[in-house]
Amino acid sequence: MSGWRTWLHPLASAGQQSMTFDFQCMSGDTREVLGLLAELLQQPALPTDKLSMVQAQVANIISHRDDDASSVARRELYKLLYGQDSIYARTPTLSGVASLTPADLAAHIAAWQRPDGAVLGLVGDFSSSDMMNTVKDVLGSWSPAAGQPAEQRAHPHEDLPDLPAVLAAAAGNQQQQQQQQSQVVYLVDRPGAKQASVYAGEPGISLSDPDCYALDVLAATLNGFGGTLFDELRTRQGLAYSVAASWDSPVDHNGLFVAAAETVQPARFIQELSSVLSSVREQPPTQQALSKAKAGLLNSFVFNFASTYSQLQRTLVFQLLGLPPVSRGGVSSSAQIVLQHIERLHNAP
């Protein structure tokens, strides 16, 4: 179609939480481009040859996903903490990818790609009222696919268990578990590997957790030059070239706290990593460390608004996911929260 020449930098992406279509064009071409977008949304072409090409690409990725030892460790850690069958630890298989058909894709699009589950944002040199009329003319007739319910279906969701069964079983019976905290190491044998990829983790938080900003700041005090983990495990003890720890905070479920590194001395590294992380519970970061961490986060925060496009993208994502706007104030006020959070950990039984 010749009309596609007016659609500059068209991008489409899909993830676990959403599907996104982006475009840039001349203001005078917006109606034509919106018409092409409407065609994509309501009558997508799903040619078999294109699906086969993508399946081959994904199959190649799957075939090589164990080449990197760190990706194996991370994948298995997620399965241990979320559970083998959890939707948050699911990994694609060759048979699963090969079984997909255009009909499967069409069914997924019909179920989830609908106007009441979407947000649209436009930014540029145009009249807002004229653009609103254009959007209504072009997309006003978009409705849920035939046979779909009037209301959106509920999104899949699972709660992260407080103590996954696999860890509870490894800890032994209840009496033993109460007497001492169980520390379990899981090994994936990699013959010939020159280093061990070490991943340690525990259940974490979601983005809506009130401690989210505080934990971001706390993580910043652990990582990078001058960070507690970096200084102790790399600079002083030389146990790893790179080491990091952070809280993953997904939107719709609790994430994980993960610390990771590659080392030639895994036993000693695990021991020292545990020691450093335990010390955080006993001795909060200094005000100097907190100030440095906050400054780094605030300096990077401004890049979320470096262009009108990035501002629009952030606004749409937060609206789509039902999140309140994120401001610099959340990071700025987090130092005291960090100290309070660590004090709670220290006083916890």
Side-chain angles (χ1 to χ4, degrees):
M1 292 184 295
S2 61
W4 286 101
R5 298 193 190 101
T6 66
W7 187 333
L8 304 180
H9 308 298
L11 296 172
S13 60
Q16 294 178 334
Q17 297 171 341
S18 65
M19 177 178 288
T20 303
F21 297 96
D22 295 336
F23 67 84
Q24 298 179 35
C25 69
M26 301 295 291
S27 296
D29 296 327
T30 304
R31 175 179 285 273
E32 182 178 1
V33 172
L34 282 175
L36 295 169
L37 175 62
E39 183 179 338
L40 267 179
L41 295 172
Q42 300 176 72
Q43 299 173 322
L46 301 170
T48 302
D49 60 331
K50 296 296 184 182
L51 174 59
S52 297
M53 180 183 70
V54 174
Q55 285 173 313
Q57 293 172 341
V58 175
N60 182 61
I61 294 173
I62 293 174
S63 299
H64 292 279
R65 65 185 173 192
D66 290 346
D67 293 352
D68 182 5
S70 63
S71 66
V72 176
R74 185 178 183 87
R75 183 180 71 230
E76 296 306 313
L77 177 68
Y78 271 59
K79 289 182 179 179
L80 288 171
L81 291 177
Y82 282 118
Q84 292 286 335
D85 300 322
S86 171
I87 59 176
Y88 306 127
R90 187 175 297 166
T91 54
T93 63
L94 290 172
S95 59
V97 171
S99 69
L100 290 173
T101 66
D104 295 325
L105 303 184
H108 178 85
I109 291 172
W112 295 105
Q113 197 163 286
R114 42 189 295 155
D116 53 355
V119 293
L120 174 67
L122 298 163
V123 60
D125 182 16
F126 51 74
S127 164
S128 297
S129 58
D130 291 345
M131 184 58 69
M132 182 60 71
N133 290 331
T134 299
V135 170
K136 290 179 179 179
D137 289 343
V138 177
L139 291 169
S141 62
W142 184 21
S143 60
Q148 294 299 313
E151 300 292 333
Q152 276 187 279
R153 65 176 65 188
H155 290 76
H157 177 78
E158 291 179 0
D159 291 326
L160 180 64
D162 292 332
L163 183 63
V166 63
L167 297 182
N173 61 45
Q174 185 176 5
Q175 182 178 1
Q176 291 175 331
Q177 186 175 332
Q178 292 174 346
Q179 290 175 350
Q180 60 180 2
Q181 180 181 4
S182 177
Q183 295 181 336
V184 183
V185 177
Y186 293 86
L187 301 177
V188 178
D189 190 19
R190 299 276 296 187
K194 296 182 179 179
Q195 293 191 103
S197 293
V198 178
Y199 273 70
E202 65 181 17
I205 62 171
S206 70
L207 190 59
S208 60
D209 192 289
D211 286 332
C212 183
Y213 289 125
L215 294 180
D216 282 346
V217 173
L218 180 57
T221 68
L222 296 174
N223 300 317
F225 291 101
T228 307
L229 283 176
F230 191 94
D231 282 358
E232 184 63 31
L233 300 183
R234 172 183 161 161
T235 305
R236 293 194 180 95
Q237 301 196 41
L239 293 175
Y241 179 77
S242 176
V243 57
S246 63
W247 283 266
D248 179 26
S249 50
V251 172
D252 58 345
H253 64 281
N254 285 343
L256 304 177
F257 169 77
V258 176
E262 292 190 346
T263 177
V264 295
Q265 301 181 65
R268 185 183 168 196
F269 174 84
I270 293 172
Q271 182 181 30
E272 296 301 328
L273 173 66
S274 177
S275 176
V276 172
L277 294 179
S278 296
S279 69
V280 175
R281 295 168 59 101
E282 305 295 332
Q283 185 175 356
T286 64
Q287 285 293 344
Q288 181 180 5
L290 289 173
S291 297
K292 178 182 177 182
K294 286 197 303 176
L297 291 174
L298 289 172
N299 288 339
S300 62
F301 184 79
V302 298
F303 290 101
N304 292 313
F305 311 94
S307 66
T308 53
Y309 174 76
S310 60
Q311 295 172 36
L312 174 65
Q313 186 179 48
R314 189 175 183 86
T315 300
L316 294 182
V317 168
F318 275 64
Q319 181 178 339
L320 177 65
L321 300 176
L323 297 172
V326 178
S327 67
R328 291 165 61 98
V331 177
S332 298
S333 62
S334 58
Q336 187 60 35
I337 302 176
V338 169
L339 298 178
Q340 294 171 355
H341 183 78
I342 295 177
E343 183 177 357
R344 290 201 306 271
L345 291 174
H346 179 61
N347 294 330

